[in-house]
Amino acid sequence: MEKEHDFISERTKWKRQVYRIIFLSDTKLGKLFDLVLLLLILLSTFIVMMESVQIFDAKLHLLFVILEIIITAFFTVEYVLRILTIKNKKAYIFSFFGIIDFLAILPFYLSLFFPITKYFLILRMLRMLRVFRIFNLLDFMNDGYFIVRALKHSSRKIYIFLLFLVIFCVIVGSLMFMVEGHREGFESIPQSIYWAVVTVTTVGYGDVSPGTPLGKFLSVLLMLAGYSIIAVPTGIVTAEMRNKRQNLEKVCGRCGNDDIDDDARYCKICGEKVV
């Protein structure tokens, strides 16, 4: 995930000035632009929510449409300017914030052909993440990157755990289908698997419940297992975060790479010795 301050501006004077306003917040115009951006995001989100309320939509539908057109036009111009004013355009377009900026305008244009997609405009709320930069809270954003790195490094363990959980739910669901004997809610194996997933995740909708003693016994085991299962991914990620925190000082002196394995002796990027 590339940070916005890592992007390089174009050399043209007006592009450098626009870049500083829309990508940075070290000037009055830059801070004003970001605050206006946040207000428009909140306004757009409010409009989307109000459009789903029939009473308000019936009375103010035209106003909502006009405001949404104006806001989307602003976001579209801003997105185009972001691409024009940076040198590493591809890096921005496929970066986290670049994808979010694109998704902020895409639903409006899709709604011209598929009206229901306009409610995806709620994704604009993700742009609120820039509030950390606007109010000089980059330390919080760095903590966010730290969590993302921990999730990335523990992803294989989590995938294996999820595979085990899927197999477990399929087996238990199949057993319940046989035990309950086609009772309501257990008419098929897929429906029984649904019950197993709901039970093992401790959601417990209560719309389906076993009636036989053996089925209730399996339910008890499944519910008790659910509490243990919830702790597994939490422990995996927590352990990874603890290891990363202990190795924050391990940074390559040549290239600055901080993604260094615990048992690594050399940097994986440039080969420099790190221990």
Side-chain angles (χ1 to χ4, degrees):
M1 186 187 299
E2 188 168 4
K3 303 176 184 179
E4 285 193 304
H5 56 73
D6 291 336
F7 297 128
I8 303 171
S9 65
E10 291 280 12
R11 294 183 180 181
T12 309
K13 184 177 179 180
W14 73 268
K15 290 184 178 180
R16 288 202 307 269
Q17 292 175 343
V18 174
Y19 169 87
R20 190 171 184 182
I21 292 173
I22 63 178
F23 275 98
L24 306 177
S25 57
D26 57 349
T27 62
K28 290 183 178 179
L29 282 176
K31 290 182 178 180
L32 177 61
F33 174 83
D34 288 333
L35 288 175
V36 170
L37 189 68
L38 292 180
L39 290 175
L40 289 178
I41 293 170
L42 291 174
L43 178 59
S44 175
T45 304
F46 177 77
I47 291 172
V48 172
M49 290 190 292
M50 290 301 100
E51 280 184 318
S52 66
V53 182
Q54 293 183 358
I55 298 177
F56 294 114
D57 187 52
K59 295 180 180 180
L60 304 171
H61 180 74
L62 181 59
L63 177 62
F64 289 157
V65 172
I66 293 174
L67 288 175
E68 197 55 61
I69 291 174
I70 295 173
I71 294 172
T72 302
F74 178 87
F75 285 151
T76 303
V77 172
E78 178 225 0
Y79 180 69
V80 172
L81 286 175
R82 286 181 182 274
I83 296 175
L84 290 177
T85 55
I86 59 174
K87 184 176 295 184
N88 42 349
K89 294 177 173 53
K90 185 177 180 181
Y92 163 72
I93 292 173
F94 294 101
S95 67
F96 174 76
F97 282 110
I99 294 173
I100 294 302
D101 292 343
F102 178 70
L103 291 177
I105 61 176
L106 180 63
F108 175 82
Y109 296 107
L110 287 177
S111 68
L112 299 178
F113 306 97
F114 309 101
I116 191 64
T117 59
K118 68 180 179 180
Y119 295 109
F120 284 113
L121 288 171
I122 206 73
L123 292 174
R124 287 178 179 173
M125 282 295 292
L126 290 173
R127 302 195 69 188
M128 292 290 291
L129 291 173
R130 286 192 171 91
V131 72
F132 294 107
R133 185 197 68 202
I134 297 169
F135 296 108
N136 298 320
L137 300 175
L138 285 177
D139 288 340
F140 290 92
M141 204 62 182
N142 291 332
D143 290 340
Y145 288 118
F146 176 76
I147 295 174
V148 171
R149 287 198 299 268
L151 289 171
K152 180 180 178 181
H153 283 83
S154 58
S155 60
R156 287 192 298 178
K157 297 176 183 177
I158 294 176
Y159 292 152
I160 294 172
F161 166 75
L162 289 177
L163 177 61
F164 165 77
L165 190 58
V166 169
I167 295 172
F168 180 66
C169 289
V170 170
I171 292 175
V172 173
S174 301
L175 289 175
M176 288 299 294
F177 171 71
M178 293 185 292
V179 169
E180 289 299 307
H182 305 279
R183 291 172 61 89
E184 183 179 357
F186 299 94
E187 292 92 347
S188 65
I189 290 180
Q191 286 182 303
S192 301
I193 292 173
Y194 160 79
W195 170 85
V197 172
V198 170
T199 305
V200 80
T201 54
T202 69
V203 176
Y205 292 133
D207 56 340
V208 179
S209 59
T212 63
L214 183 56
K216 292 180 179 180
F217 176 72
L218 287 175
S219 298
V220 171
L221 294 180
L222 197 61
M223 286 184 280
L224 292 176
Y227 285 102
S228 302
I229 288 172
I230 289 174
V232 173
T234 305
I236 292 173
V237 176
T238 302
E240 186 64 35
M241 291 178 66
R242 184 177 65 251
N243 293 335
K244 288 296 176 184
R245 181 67 68 181
Q246 292 174 349
N247 291 282
L248 282 178
E249 297 81 10
K250 189 181 289 187
V251 179
C252 177
R254 176 185 292 177
C255 66
N257 174 41
D258 60 353
D259 185 15
I260 299 176
D261 297 332
D262 300 339
D263 57 349
R265 299 177 59 188
Y266 299 92
C267 175
K268 65 176 70 174
I269 303 298
C270 65
E272 178 75 3
K273 190 172 183 179
V274 293
V275 292

